[in-house]
Amino acid sequence: MNLSIFIINFIIFLFFSNTYGANLTSCKLDAIYQFGDSVSDTGNSIVETPQAYHARLPYGESIGKATGRSSDGLLLIDYIAQSAGLPLLEPYENPNSTFSHGAVFSVAGVTALPKETLMKLNLSLGFSNTSLEVQLESMKNLLSTICNNTGDCQEKLKSTLFIVGIGGNDYGRAFQKGDSVYEVNKTIVPLVVATIEDSIQKIINFGARRIVVSGSYPIGCSPAYLTMFSNTSTTKDSFGCLKDYNDISAYHSDGLKIAVEKAKKENPNVTIVFSDLYNALFSVIKDRSTLGLNSYQNACCGTGGEYNVTLGQLDKMCGAKDVPVCPNPKEYLYWDGWHLTHQANKALSDLLIEEMLPGLQCTS
């Protein structure tokens, strides 16, 4: 091999080894608690709704079983737990869960906004009442079995990581009602950001010492949004994503960045990190050839339309009888209309762990 080519290839190897090779073991975490929706639900929703499609194959096919995760395999939270040297986190609502290394409170389909606010906004209440407010109350109940007061909790939670990532369903409910992008940006996004900001302080009041606040995926890149709004969206970006809908995700993330900085100033003894899912997913899309994710707009599991998604018909959804599944999910970014594949979650987690590690101030 030509020496210059060898050197270039070696540099590329080192770059990707470094970029995608970080892990959280230096944080010496003994537990992780996750709040959110289907992006991080490891099985709560199928306790609430056992007949849900993601309670059975082909969901989970890449790990050999359906677990209630909205993917063909693992989620971001699973890879984060593995990176920290912890077992996969148990869903809070599963009666067999032991919570020995934390818990997942996330439930697929839920909102950041509480039921009362949804009703005032005339938004759908969905199938579950397990909003962020309810998840925090569940955390409070769990903590009552672990520690006695704030000081005791601070001591017992000093090696614990809390993660908050929610909001996408709030915007989906608004679009379902018929709100415009302008109306969602003006009304719903500030409410969602304020709700998450309030949750950060509540988690700190629990005794948390380390918190990660996750931004939003660029929703305008998902097969579901491309299917719903490609004919009405004004602009597509260079990746073929819907720019005006992605602007909502960007506005949401920008609001959370400000909230995180405010919380850090008000709580100097607490480590709070913003996790930039928005730009991380675009990085994965840009690097898709290197990562082997050759299909980044079509759903692997689904049928119909330009993006392999049919909306509003239960018999056409991923998991319904005779709905096809691609033979090579590891080459797809999206598993179904909204959720990432096992492989895409792995690639995204590598970037996000690398990004959050310095902010967590862990020592080797």
Side-chain angles (χ1 to χ4, degrees), residues 53 85 105 120 124 138 210 216 220 251-252 258 326 328 342 344 347:
Y53 283 151
F105 298 92
K120 288 178 182 178
S124 168
S138 296
R210 283 195 181 116
S216 171
Y251 185 34
H252 171 95
I258 294 170
C326 68
N328 51 343
H342 175 86

Side-chain angles (χ1 to χ4, degrees), residues 168 171-176 178-185 189 216-222 224-237 240-253 278 282:
Y171 308 135
R173 303 275 176 89
F175 291 129
Q176 181 184 353
D179 288 356
S180 67
V181 170
Y182 172 79
E183 289 169 327
V184 172
N185 261 331
V189 175
S216 171
Y217 292 120
I219 57 176
C221 294
S222 69
Y225 270 76
L226 287 167
T227 297
M228 286 188 285
F229 303 117
S230 280
N231 293 332
T232 57
S233 182
T234 55
T235 309
K236 286 188 177 181
D237 63 19
C241 302
L242 307 178
K243 186 180 183 303
D244 44 352
Y245 289 89
N246 279 348
D247 285 346
I248 291 171
S249 300
Y251 185 34
H252 171 95
S253 296
Y278 184 87
F282 272 120

Side-chain angles (χ1 to χ4, degrees), residues 1 47 58 84 120 139 184 190 246 268 274 283 300 309 337:
M1 178 185 291
V47 175
K120 288 178 182 178
M139 179 75 232
V184 172
N246 279 348
F274 176 75
S283 294
C300 168
V309 173

Side-chain angles (χ1 to χ4, degrees), residues 275-286:
S275 182
D276 193 352
L277 267 70
Y278 184 87
N279 285 307
L281 189 63
F282 272 120
S283 294
V284 169
I285 293 173
K286 290 174 185 177

Side-chain angles (χ1 to χ4, degrees), residues 127-251:
F127 297 103
S128 173
N129 185 39
T130 319
S131 64
L132 182 55
E133 177 183 62
V134 174
Q135 293 177 31
L136 291 171
E137 190 63 27
S138 296
M139 179 75 232
K140 183 179 178 181
N141 292 336
L142 181 58
L143 279 178
S144 68
T145 68
I146 298 172
C147 46
N148 300 317
N149 52 55
T150 300
D152 185 30
C153 288
Q154 285 177 336
E155 177 61 27
K156 289 181 177 175
L157 297 175
K158 63 183 180 182
S159 298
T160 297
L161 178 64
F162 290 80
I163 306 176
V164 184
I166 197 168
N169 292 315
D170 300 75
Y171 308 135
R173 303 275 176 89
F175 291 129
Q176 181 184 353
K177 190 186 81 171
D179 288 356
S180 67
V181 170
Y182 172 79
E183 289 169 327
V184 172
N185 261 331
K186 181 181 179 182
T187 305
I188 309 298
V189 175
L191 286 174
V192 170
V193 169
T195 300
I196 297 173
E197 180 178 4
D198 182 59
S199 77
I200 296 170
Q201 190 57 53
K202 287 180 179 178
I203 292 169
I204 292 170
N205 293 343
F206 287 157
R209 308 291 287 274
R210 283 195 181 116
I211 305 171
V212 169
V213 180
S214 297
S216 171
Y217 292 120
I219 57 176
C221 294
S222 69
Y225 270 76
L226 287 167
T227 297
M228 286 188 285
F229 303 117
S230 280
N231 293 332
T232 57
S233 182
T234 55
T235 309
K236 286 188 177 181
D237 63 19
S238 60
F239 298 109
C241 302
L242 307 178
K243 186 180 183 303
D244 44 352
Y245 289 89
N246 279 348
D247 285 346
I248 291 171
S249 300
Y251 185 34

Side-chain angles (χ1 to χ4, degrees), residues 261-333:
E261 289 306 312
K262 179 183 175 184
K264 288 166 69 173
K265 289 179 181 177
E266 293 175 351
N267 303 275
N269 296 322
V270 180
T271 299
I272 311 171
V273 176
F274 176 75
S275 182
D276 193 352
L277 267 70
Y278 184 87
N279 285 307
L281 189 63
F282 272 120
S283 294
V284 169
I285 293 173
K286 290 174 185 177
D287 288 344
R288 60 188 182 276
S289 296
T290 302
L291 297 168
L293 298 168
N294 301 317
S295 179
Y296 73 99
Q297 289 186 322
N298 289 3
C300 168
C301 181
T303 186
E306 184 178 353
Y307 304 101
N308 212 29
V309 173
T310 300
L311 299 168
Q313 298 182 43
L314 292 177
D315 62 340
K316 302 293 184 183
M317 289 178 59
C318 177
K321 185 179 179 181
D322 298 327
V323 170
V325 180
C326 68
N328 51 343
K330 68 180 181 180
E331 295 182 10
Y332 278 68
L333 183 69

Side-chain angles (χ1 to χ4, degrees), residues 17-29 80 83-85 161 210-212 271-276 349-364:
S17 295
N18 184 52
T19 302
Y20 299 106
N23 67 70
L24 297 171
T25 54
S26 62
C27 295
K28 299 179 176 64
L29 299 174
I80 289 171
S83 177
L161 178 64
R210 283 195 181 116
I211 305 171
V212 169
T271 299
I272 311 171
V273 176
F274 176 75
S275 182
D276 193 352
S349 70
D350 287 339
L351 284 174
L352 292 171
I353 289 167
E354 176 79 18
E355 172 198 87
M356 72 173 70
L357 192 56
L360 289 174
Q361 302 175 14
C362 304
T363 56
S364 57

